[in-house]
Amino acid sequence: MAKYHLNEAAVAKARRLIDARQYVLKSDWGDVQPNAEAQNAYLKNHSWDEYAEWHLGLTDGATDETKARYAFVYGDLRRIHRTGLIACVYRASEWHHKDVELAAHDLLQYLDQKTA
C-alpha cells in the first residue's frame, strides 16, 4: 500500500478557496471529481505546483511532476467540493493515512462553520 504525507500547500489553498467562497456544498462527487481528461486539460494551462495544490496527499517515493505523486483530490480544479472533502476523509481513514484524514476533516469543519 502506498504511503502519503500531507500536502500543506493544498491545505492552505483549500482554506483560501473556502474564504473566497469558491465552493460547492451539494454535488455528486462521482460525477464532478476530475477525471484523467480534465486533469490533462488543467495541466496544459497550469503548473505542476498548481495541480499539486488540489491534492491533500503526496505519494511517498513517487516522482515529482507525475500524476502518481498526487492523491486525495478535493475539488474539481476550480472549486472545492464538500463531497470531495468527505471522500478524502473516508478514503484516508479507510487506509490509515491519519495526517490526510485529519486535515480533510478539519477543512470540512472549517467549510461547515463558514457556511452555517
Side-chain angles (χ1 to χ4, degrees), residues 95-114:
W95 296 104
H96 305 283
H97 304 301
K98 201 52 132 175
D99 290 345
V100 174
E101 174 195 348
L102 293 175
H105 177 268
D106 289 347
L107 287 166
L108 181 60
Q109 299 309 306
Y110 186 66
L111 175 62
D112 287 350
Q113 288 172 348
K114 290 285 191 170

Side-chain angles (χ1 to χ4, degrees), residues 39-113:
Q39 293 172 35
N40 291 339
Y42 185 85
L43 282 166
K44 284 184 181 182
N45 298 310
H46 298 85
S47 71
W48 280 98
D49 287 340
E50 290 170 306
Y51 179 78
E53 288 182 324
W54 287 101
H55 299 82
L56 293 176
L58 298 173
T59 310
D60 292 347
T63 304
D64 286 340
E65 299 187 358
T66 64
K67 288 184 186 176
R69 174 73 167 141
Y70 310 104
F72 299 99
V73 64
Y74 62 83
D76 61 11
L77 305 176
R78 205 177 64 153
R79 297 163 301 181
I80 191 171
H81 282 253
R82 187 173 187 276
T83 54
L85 290 174
I86 292 167
C88 287
V89 171
Y90 176 81
R91 285 180 39 236
S93 175
E94 180 179 28
W95 296 104
H96 305 283
H97 304 301
K98 201 52 132 175
D99 290 345
V100 174
E101 174 195 348
L102 293 175
H105 177 268
D106 289 347
L107 287 166
L108 181 60
Q109 299 309 306
Y110 186 66
L111 175 62
D112 287 350
Q113 288 172 348

